[in-house]
Amino acid sequence: MADSRTHHQHRQHHRCPPPDDSLAKGSVRLLPAAPRSEPRSPARTSPVRTSDEHTPAASRALDALTEFSRVLLGTHDEGDILRLAMGYVATTGHRAVAGYLEVDGELVPGPTGAAHAPGLGRRLRDLAGDDGPVRVSGRSWGRALGLRGVGGIRGYLVVTSPSRPTQAERSLLTALAGHTAAALSLAFTRRRRREEARKLLRLRNERTALQLQLIRVAAELGYQRAAHALVADIAAAGGSEKAVTRALHRLTGLPALVEDRFGRPRSWTGPGRPDPYPEPDPVQQDELLRAVARAAGPVRIRNRLITLIRPHDEILGVLALVDTDDEADEHTVLALHDAARSLALELTHRRDLAEVELRLHGELVDDLLAGTAEASVHARSEAVGHDLHRSQYVVAVRWSNRTADDSFARTVGRAASEVGMRALLTWRSDRVILITDDRPHAHALYEALARETGAASGTIGVSAPCASPDAIPRGYQDAQRALTVRASSRERYGTTFFDELGLYRILGPGNDHRELKTFVDEWLGQLVDYDAWHKTSMVETLARYFDCGGNYDETAASLRIHRSTLRYRLKRIHEISGRDVANAEERLNLQVATRVWKMAPRDTPVDLP
């Protein structure tokens, strides 16, 4: 009874439209009416019964529609609602050929994917929200069902059938249109509420932004006063790296640090300092410096806010804040910029002092290279912090893209200091000259200068150790010879030590017999001493071995010894001298040394004139 009563009320609410013949008057026919060619099914050819609405089939159809209505009302997207409604029409034996939605006062085809008949939109606009017949090619019956909801028309469903539907079928379609319109109205209301909520949120955000702007304006004066106090504190503390990081940490609350241009720490104030501090990667450090240099201000790289300490074009280091939680604002950036500028001024002042020190160093180095015999030379070296009582090395540096002047001398001095060299320096002609109290590392100074200058096109020559200041002029010649030999070689860029030149020490210009004796002593001295002490002939064996081109049989025959004895002697030669005849360079130096040894008198083989 409840279902019957509900169905009766439903029929009263959605009154069935009049027959098509009465609606045809005044309707727009889109295409000529097609003759009925399809045979009607038995259900369609039976006479229309006025009581068929109460059949069990009709009740089941209404029940299904009620269930489908719940699906429609639960769908939020208007296009999806229209698509579902058109799909439901197909389950009733009819066809929904088109669907339209009302958008800003216009009827727009819905996202159904179906191609709409020409002129259909114009016909629907003429209906002005009412239901009405339409003609679609191949269909004997067609009707536009207005989807009317709260606020007016929400769209249209255009339904067709190969034959005229029964009264119950038309009532079902009308009910479907009503449910679809209700669902569209609900979806429209939901969408409007979402839009209003977004608008309200936007207004609230704008209000919050205005409030924050007022707060920032109120705090601006306070930050400016704090920034002025920062600069004053740095100046009062002497402007050192430590003073800068301490003042910057106190102002921002973030850990502050200064690194040199190679990535090594100079000062750190605040928590979180790595221990041990990571060893910088030269390639990554150069990429970082280039990235920061391209920017107009501080740059965020990972968890650091970084700016360069650069009084002019030369980069002296970096000043950074560790900002792990991304707390820095524009005031923090301004404070970092001001601190970097203050530190750059201090470092410029230090550079001016370094220039004075460089001139003092230059005068002392010039005197040492000239072979001064003044008794005050040790006192003068102590005054500039250098110990001449230790063995000294002379280092000559030449770089293809740099002129030897004050600027390049400071660059060399800074690079030497970075790699731990204690040195006096000056410049002459096209090269910078250093005097250092410890043997330089084979590659460290060259690599540091390559980073400083941005080019690896440099040559460095290092002398043998100078036992006293009197030997420094000779060491200067040795360093220049090492530099010249390296610059004339195939691999002309890098560092060359004079005591590693080997054969080139003899072949170079300006050699004398003393150099020959030194060379032979270096390569054969241990074997000569061994032969003198043990009454053996190791040097002679080695010389014969080279004369025979390394052939064991010929060498053994020339010495009149067994092949196994030759092998034993060569093994002992290697053990005594530490030289390996299998090494190409050592083999060459040994062979030249034996040739020189053979030219000396037999009783004094290495005491050359």
Side-chain angles (χ1 to χ4, degrees):
M1 289 298 292
D3 291 342
S4 175
R5 201 163 43 248
T6 301
H7 181 59
H8 179 69
Q9 293 172 356
H10 186 77
R11 288 186 57 211
Q12 292 298 322
H13 181 69
H14 300 284
R15 293 189 178 277
C16 297
D20 283 346
D21 293 340
S22 63
L23 290 173
K25 185 177 181 180
S27 64
V28 176
R29 182 170 300 189
L30 300 179
L31 294 173
R36 182 175 303 216
S37 59
E38 302 179 16
R40 293 178 61 88
S41 64
R44 296 294 179 90
T45 57
S46 60
V48 176
R49 299 186 301 275
T50 59
S51 60
D52 62 354
E53 298 179 11
H54 302 288
T55 63
S59 296
R60 287 194 298 272
L62 287 175
D63 290 341
L65 178 61
T66 302
E67 183 64 28
F68 180 67
S69 176
R70 294 192 185 97
V71 177
L72 288 179
L73 294 175
T75 304
H76 292 186
D77 184 80
E78 292 154 289
D80 292 340
I81 292 172
L82 188 64
R83 190 180 297 108
L84 289 172
M86 294 179 69
Y88 185 82
V89 169
T91 67
T92 66
H94 305 287
R95 181 184 176 192
V97 296
Y100 284 78
L101 291 174
E102 190 276 337
V103 179
D104 296 331
E106 296 289 335
L107 288 174
V108 178
T112 60
H116 297 175
L120 185 56
R122 186 172 59 253
R123 168 60 178 155
L124 298 181
R125 286 192 294 272
D126 292 341
L127 289 175
D130 294 330
D131 296 355
V134 295
R135 178 66 67 182
V136 178
S137 176
R139 297 285 172 163
S140 62
W141 181 86
R143 191 166 184 81
L145 303 177
L147 305 177
R148 292 173 290 277
V150 178
I153 189 73
R154 294 295 174 203
Y156 269 98
L157 275 177
V158 180
V159 181
T160 65
S161 179
S163 62
R164 180 178 299 175
T166 66
Q167 187 70 21
E169 291 171 338
R170 295 179 63 180
S171 297
L172 186 63
L173 292 174
T174 302
L176 173 62
H179 289 304
T180 304
L184 288 174
S185 296
L186 182 59
F188 174 78
T189 302
R190 289 170 177 162
R191 178 164 54 83
R192 288 293 297 273
R193 287 179 179 175
R194 289 195 299 270
E195 292 174 353
E196 290 174 356
R198 285 194 293 268
K199 183 177 180 181
L200 180 60
L201 179 61
R202 185 174 64 254
L203 291 174
R204 288 176 177 173
N205 290 339
E206 291 176 355
R207 183 187 65 181
T208 302
L210 289 174
Q211 291 174 341
L212 292 176
Q213 184 176 1
L214 290 175
I215 293 173
R216 283 195 294 269
V217 170
E220 184 70 30
L221 291 176
Y223 274 110
Q224 290 179 357
R225 287 194 295 270
H228 290 307
L230 167 70
V231 176
D233 289 346
I234 293 174
S240 64
E241 291 95 335
K242 187 63 177 177
V244 169
T245 57
R246 186 186 299 115
L248 198 56
H249 173 63
R250 186 169 61 250
L251 177 64
T252 65
L254 300 173
L257 62 112
V258 174
E259 292 178 344
D260 62 21
R261 71 177 315 278
F262 305 110
R264 297 184 179 88
R266 300 290 294 270
S267 177
W268 183 299
T269 304
R273 172 171 176 152
D275 187 18
Y277 208 86
E279 185 67 22
D281 181 274
V283 176
Q284 293 181 359
Q285 183 69 12
D286 289 343
E287 292 176 354
L288 182 146
L289 294 179
R290 286 194 294 269
V292 179
R294 287 193 294 267
V299 175
R300 176 174 292 279
I301 297 179
R302 292 185 292 277
N303 67 332
R304 290 186 179 185
L305 194 63
I306 301 174
T307 189
L308 296 180
I309 304 171
R310 183 169 57 176
H312 302 293
D313 293 333
E314 187 177 5
I315 299 174
L316 303 181
V318 299
L319 176 64
L321 291 171
V322 181
D323 186 20
T324 304
D325 298 326
D326 197 11
E327 301 174 2
D329 56 13
E330 65 272 18
H331 302 290
T332 305
V333 172
L334 180 61
L336 183 63
H337 176 75
D338 290 343
R341 183 172 56 185
S342 176
L343 184 56
L345 292 174
E346 172 62 22
L347 294 181
T348 301
H349 174 65
R350 293 185 188 179
R351 171 168 292 188
D352 293 340
L353 294 178
E355 290 179 355
V356 175
E357 184 179 4
L358 182 62
R359 285 196 291 272
L360 295 176
H361 282 204
E363 293 173 0
L364 177 58
V365 174
D366 288 341
D367 289 343
L368 290 172
L369 296 180
T372 181
E374 294 182 5
S376 63
V377 68
H378 287 285
R380 292 169 60 194
S381 67
E382 290 176 5
V384 295
H386 192 82
D387 184 9
L388 277 180
H389 294 282
R390 303 179 58 177
S391 293
Q392 306 293 312
Y393 289 81
V394 182
V395 181
V397 179
R398 184 172 64 194
W399 230 257
S400 63
N401 66 336
R402 296 296 296 267
T403 302
D405 54 14
D406 280 346
S407 176
F408 185 51
R410 285 195 300 269
T411 301
V412 174
R414 186 165 54 250
S417 177
E418 292 295 338
V419 299
M421 291 176 59
R422 299 178 298 272
L424 303 170
L425 75 159
T426 187
W427 66 95
R428 287 187 173 185
S429 183
D430 60 345
R431 62 203 65 184
V432 172
I433 309 301
L434 298 91
I435 297 178
T436 179
D437 60 1
D438 195 8
R439 181 181 176 88
H441 186 273
H443 308 292
L445 179 60
Y446 174 79
E447 292 172 352
L449 278 170
R451 291 193 298 270
E452 284 277 354
T453 62
S457 55
T459 307
I460 300 175
V462 183
S463 73
C466 305
S468 65
D470 295 340
I472 288 178
R474 174 71 182 184
Y476 177 46
Q477 296 178 9
D478 293 346
Q480 293 197 96
R481 183 178 301 170
L483 185 147
T484 301
V485 169
R486 183 61 183 252
S488 303
S489 66
R490 291 181 179 273
E491 297 181 4
R492 54 180 177 164
Y493 299 137
T495 302
T496 295
F497 290 80
F498 178 79
D499 53 12
E500 295 177 356
L501 285 178
L503 179 61
Y504 291 103
R505 286 159 53 181
I506 302 173
L507 300 179
N511 290 301
D512 52 26
H513 293 293
R514 183 180 59 181
E515 194 61 44
L516 292 174
K517 178 182 183 302
T518 303
F519 180 81
V520 174
D521 278 340
E522 180 179 339
W523 287 93
L524 297 179
Q526 291 175 308
L527 292 176
V528 170
D529 292 340
Y530 183 88
D531 286 345
W533 183 261
H534 295 281
K535 306 300 181 181
T536 56
S537 57
M538 294 296 181
V539 179
E540 177 66 22
T541 300
L542 185 62
R544 293 286 185 91
Y545 175 75
F546 287 129
D547 290 342
C548 295
N551 186 290
Y552 274 60
D553 292 333
E554 291 182 14
T555 305
S558 67
L559 292 171
R560 296 181 179 178
I561 59 176
H562 195 271
R563 181 185 175 96
S564 60
T565 304
L566 175 62
R567 287 184 179 277
Y568 171 78
R569 288 187 183 181
L570 291 175
K571 179 181 178 182
R572 289 292 295 148
I573 288 172
H574 174 66
E575 293 171 351
I576 295 168
S577 67
R579 306 296 186 178
D580 184 8
V581 295
N583 181 283
E585 184 173 354
E586 292 191 359
R587 181 189 183 97
L588 175 62
N589 289 328
L590 285 170
Q591 187 171 5
V592 172
T594 58
R595 291 293 179 90
V596 176
W597 171 82
K598 288 195 300 182
M599 291 186 297
R602 181 65 60 183
D603 55 340
T604 55
V606 295
D607 188 16
L608 300 174

